[in-house]
Amino acid sequence: MSAEVAKTIIELNRRFLLDYPQLAAARIEELPRQEAAGALGDQDANTLTPVMSFLAPDVVVGLFRLLPRQLVTHLVAELS
């Protein structure tokens, strides 16, 4: 996959997460945690915060264990 295609996929995911956070949360909960973390790890905290509020607590904890530490730090600050 080219860098341009990867960038486009990240941006499309970002728009989906921002525009449909509740639906995105439902889809994320259906994925294995490792795959979900892989898909979300390229996003920023401002994009993920609305989605996190719709996720079950155990899903959030599982994702926090797998997401990059700096992203988790920003998410915790945003969610507080």
Side-chain angles (χ1 to χ4, degrees):
M1 174 180 345
S2 73
E4 191 62 32
V5 170
K7 183 178 174 182
T8 300
I9 290 170
I10 291 168
E11 181 57 27
L12 288 170
N13 286 338
R14 180 179 171 280
R15 283 294 356 139
F16 180 70
L17 293 165
L18 288 170
D19 293 345
Y20 306 99
Q22 190 169 9
L23 179 58
R27 297 284 168 84
I28 290 165
E29 288 181 344
E30 295 171 357
L31 295 172
R33 298 292 174 264
Q34 190 71 35
E35 288 181 33
L40 299 176
D42 293 327
Q43 301 297 330
D44 61 35
N46 291 331
T47 300
L48 296 179
T49 300
V51 176
M52 292 292 172
S53 65
F54 289 107
L55 291 171
D58 64 310
V59 175
V60 173
V61 170
L63 289 172
F64 278 7
R65 289 184 177 140
L66 298 169
L67 289 170
R69 189 60 40 211
Q70 184 176 3
L71 177 56
V72 172
T73 300
H74 288 276
L75 282 168
V76 169
E78 290 290 323
L79 291 168
S80 299

